[in-house]
Amino acid sequence: MEPTTPFFEPQDTDRISAVLGDPTRRAMYLHVKQRHSPLTVNDIAEHFGIHRNAAKFHLDKLLAAGLLRAEFRRVNGKRGPGAGRPSKLYSASDQEVSFSVPDRHYDLLAHLLLRALTSGAGLESVGREFGRQMAASMRPHTSGSGADCVRDVLERLGFVPSVEQDADGSVWITTDNCPFGRVAMEAPNQEVCRLDRAIIQGILEEFDLKPRTVREHASKAHGHDVCIREVATAPSAASE
């Protein structure tokens, strides 16, 4: 008998949609899915800055929906008496989700556009300031390389990002979702895309990645499937 590909029946689609409809739960699912190793409840709680019980509530919902799987394993490597109880580790299941629940932040977009309009500071300045503020607020909850921290912030904003740094020091940011949705596509002079790039520049500045230019290679506003930006960074003092 040939193996079958997992799929959701219509009633399951509604259930999964309800589970992923919660922004925090959706962000947790994406966070676990993008990691190469399983995570504990404490890992999730620390990353999102929430109580352990709240993290467990959301993880159990994802587990019950079949989006995550769990295993019990000792994370300290110890065995035998005194080794302690094994930890419950969460990882993404092999289940294919056949639809997406795009994150939209039109309220944030309206706030930033209004700030630029009333302050006279310009979109780029407003976007950079917001990016720096957002990164600063999440700094206590991020870890790893600068690129990892940038990904964590963009993930919280709903971009569904992939962040890589090449051998020349340039940072490549690919996002599968635009939280500003159709407004970005309908803006006559790419105002929303300019704001997007400014936010990213501010985030990188806060994490000391010294961005010089943010260049667009692909954009959903232009009909592409993803948005791709290349960020040229200034060389560090050690490499000069």
Side-chain angles (χ1 to χ4, degrees):
M1 180 181 296
E2 294 184 0
T4 59
T5 302
F7 67 97
F8 289 125
E9 296 287 354
Q11 64 269 23
D12 288 326
T13 299
D14 293 338
R15 179 169 56 89
I16 298 301
S17 179
V19 170
L20 292 179
D22 181 271
T24 299
R25 197 174 301 143
R26 183 163 66 252
M28 283 187 184
Y29 169 67
L30 293 172
H31 179 67
V32 175
K33 187 177 178 64
Q34 292 170 355
R35 294 306 183 269
H36 299 296
S37 56
L39 300 174
T40 66
V41 173
N42 289 338
D43 291 333
I44 297 293
E46 182 178 354
H47 177 80
F48 287 94
I50 61 176
H51 192 275
R52 184 181 188 279
N53 289 346
K56 185 177 185 303
F57 170 79
H58 289 300
L59 290 169
D60 286 345
K61 290 284 187 181
L62 293 168
L63 190 65
L67 294 169
L68 297 183
R69 59 189 170 198
E71 61 178 308
F72 288 90
R73 181 168 19 110
R74 290 188 175 90
V75 296
N76 56 16
K78 296 182 180 179
R79 296 178 178 275
R85 297 177 62 183
S87 299
K88 191 173 185 178
L89 299 172
Y90 296 86
S91 57
S93 70
D94 295 328
Q95 179 66 69
E96 296 257 349
V97 179
S98 58
F99 63 94
S100 63
V101 184
D103 215 349
R104 297 288 183 253
H105 292 305
Y106 295 123
D107 52 345
L108 170 61
L109 176 61
H111 171 72
L112 295 176
L113 292 175
L114 181 62
R115 184 189 297 180
L117 181 65
T118 57
S119 68
L123 284 175
E124 283 76 10
S125 295
V126 169
R128 285 175 64 188
E129 180 185 2
F130 172 76
R132 292 186 68 108
Q133 291 173 346
M134 186 72 184
S137 69
M138 286 192 61
R139 185 183 284 275
H141 311 296
T142 55
S143 60
S145 67
D148 290 336
C149 294
V150 171
R151 182 193 61 225
D152 289 343
V153 177
L154 291 174
E155 184 178 289
R156 177 63 67 90
L157 286 171
F159 279 98
V160 191
S162 170
V163 183
E164 298 176 317
Q165 194 161 14
D166 64 25
D168 296 327
S170 293
V171 178
W172 291 80
I173 299 175
T174 302
T175 53
D176 292 334
N177 180 52
C178 175
F180 304 136
R182 294 201 60 83
V183 178
M185 301 178 189
E186 295 170 356
N189 297 308
Q190 297 189 334
E191 291 90 349
V192 178
C193 293
R194 284 163 48 205
L195 184 65
D196 168 295
R197 293 193 294 271
I199 291 173
I200 288 174
Q201 185 166 357
I203 294 171
L204 269 71
E205 287 175 356
E206 183 63 26
F207 289 123
D208 301 320
L209 288 174
K210 300 183 175 69
R212 290 185 296 181
T213 59
V214 182
R215 180 185 175 193
E216 181 182 275
H217 285 266
S219 171
K220 284 179 171 287
H222 293 154
H224 300 115
D225 292 333
V226 297
C227 296
I228 303 175
R229 307 95 167 159
E230 176 189 5
V231 184
T233 58
S236 62
S239 62
E240 290 179 345

